[in-house]
Structure formats: C-alpha cells, structure tokens
C-alpha cells in the first residue's frame, strides 16, 4: 500500500476522512483469501508429489519475479523469509540444503541474480544476499530437523533499514 493511500496509524479522524474503511476490509479479505488459496494449492501439490515420487521431485516457489518489459528480460528473483522462518546458529543462517541447491541452480540456469531477503522485525532490518555470491557450506546433520543444511555466513548478507532496502532495490534490482 502506498503512503498516499493510508494515513499514519493512530489518527482515526484522518483515517476515516482519507480512507474508505470498506476498501481496507476488502484488501484484508483478499489477503486472507490468497493465503487460503496458497495453502490449498500447496496441499494438492504435495499430495500429487507423494503419488509420483516424493524423494525424487521437489516443488519450490519463487516469491517475486522482477521482469523488464522494455528489454523483455528477467532482472532478478527474490525469495522472502521472516527471520522466525530461518534457523540462526553462531553467526550463520541455516536453510534446507535442497532449497539452497534449487535456488542456486535456477540462478545459474537463468543467468539472473536470485536474492534471499530475510525480514528481522525485532531489529527492524532486512538481510539481503545473492545466492550465487554468498559464502555457503553444506553440512550433514542428524541433530537438526533436516538431513543436510546450507550454512550461509551472516557476513554475506547486507543489513538494511527500510529506506536502505528500497534504495538497494532501485540500484540492484530495478
């Protein structure tokens, strides 16, 4: 939502004067519907995957595809995570090995940057790295919830505020 459409939080008089509450409800309703559809789709997809060959075939999504209409080329791919979705241990972000290998293969095959973006709401920061440029170590483990994981050095990630992240997107992605 653009700042022009939504007034600052906490000022009810301005909010009701400048914003149609019914449109705000429609927006929230659409977000809930999108989450339901995503959940249903994932369930059907996983069910089909199990019937074919669960261990041979993987199903992954890309959170954002940036496409340049003028040049008719992909600019970048983005994978968005909340810090609560990412394990963190001794200065490293931990991801499933399969997810790392797939995102790396896609970036190499398409020849476009594939960025992992992690939102840390406690620190109010964005962590950003290019999958192909990050320092990564594949580690086998029986102690974690995965057989193997990709250990990405936190120093490979930029730490950006909202404004810095916006500027970074303009410079490197758009």
């Amino acid at each position: 939502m653009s700042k022009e459409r939504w007034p600052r939080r906490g000022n009810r008089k301005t909010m009701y004067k400048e914003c149609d509450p019914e449109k705000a409800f429609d927006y929230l309703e659409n977000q809930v519907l999108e989450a339901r559809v995503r959940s249903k789709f994932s369930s059907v997809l996983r069910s089909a995957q199990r019937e074919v060959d669960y261990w041979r075939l993987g199903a992954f999504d890309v959170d954002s595809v940036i496409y340049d209409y003028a040049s008719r080329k992909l600019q970048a791919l983005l994978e968005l995570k909340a810090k609560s979705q990412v394990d963190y241990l001794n200065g490293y972000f931990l991801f499933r090995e399969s997810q790392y290998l797939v995102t790396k293969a896609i970036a190499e095959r398409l020849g476009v940057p594939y960025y992992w973006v992690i939102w840390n709401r406690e620190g109010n920061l964005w962590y950003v790295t290019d999958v192909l440029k990050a320092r990564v170590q594949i580690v086998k483990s029986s102690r974690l919830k995965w057989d193997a994981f990709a250990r990405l050095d936190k120093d490979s990630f930029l730490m950006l505020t909202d404004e810095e992240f916006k500027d970074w997107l303009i410079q490197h992605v758009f």
Side-chain angles (χ1 to χ4, degrees):
M1 302 256 137
S2 69
K3 289 183 180 178
E4 297 80 37
R5 253 185 95 196
W6 296 99
R8 288 190 184 156
R9 233 166 82 186
N11 186 343
R12 281 190 222 166
K13 289 180 185 176
T14 307
M15 183 173 69
Y16 286 117
K17 199 182 310 177
E18 296 179 10
C19 173
D20 180 357
E22 196 167 315
K23 285 184 182 178
F25 182 75
D26 289 345
Y27 171 78
L28 293 174
E29 194 175 50
N30 286 336
Q31 292 295 327
V32 170
L33 178 60
E34 189 176 318
R36 283 188 177 145
V37 169
R38 167 62 59 190
S39 178
K40 184 170 183 60
F41 173 76
S42 293
S43 177
V44 172
L45 184 67
R46 294 282 180 227
S47 176
Q49 183 185 16
R50 282 186 196 98
E51 287 188 27
V52 176
D53 190 345
Y54 185 79
W55 299 107
R56 188 176 66 84
L57 301 172
F60 300 88
D61 68 326
V62 175
D63 290 318
S64 291
V65 176
I66 311 302
Y67 183 78
D68 183 341
Y69 288 111
S71 66
R72 295 182 175 193
K73 290 173 53 178
L74 286 175
Q75 291 290 104
L77 304 169
L78 298 153
E79 181 66 29
L80 182 63
K81 300 282 185 194
K83 189 166 181 271
S84 60
Q85 295 174 301
V86 179
D87 287 317
Y88 182 76
L89 181 66
N90 298 331
Y92 296 94
F93 288 115
L94 307 178
F95 295 90
R96 280 189 210 98
E97 176 192 31
S98 59
Q99 184 178 24
Y100 167 73
L101 294 174
V102 168
T103 54
K104 182 178 178 215
I106 290 171
E108 290 172 342
R109 179 79 183 251
L110 296 176
V112 297
Y114 200 139
Y115 297 105
W116 278 2
V117 179
I118 302 170
W119 168 243
N120 177 355
R121 72 177 175 197
E122 291 88 27
N124 203 23
L125 292 170
W126 297 94
Y127 295 99
V128 182
T129 195
D130 184 333
V131 171
L132 294 178
K133 295 179 181 173
R135 290 189 301 270
V136 179
Q137 180 182 16
I138 303 296
V139 179
K140 304 292 181 192
S141 173
S142 58
R143 293 185 3 220
L144 292 172
K145 53 188 168 194
W146 315 305
D147 293 337
F149 61 92
R151 191 170 86 164
L152 279 76
D153 190 339
K154 185 180 171 193
D155 292 338
S156 299
F157 285 77
L158 297 171
M159 292 189 322
L160 307 168
T161 63
D162 286 350
E163 193 63 31
E164 292 168 333
F165 183 48
K166 181 185 86 173
D167 292 341
W168 179 88
L169 285 168
I170 291 168
Q171 273 189 329
H172 296 91
V173 176
F174 295 110

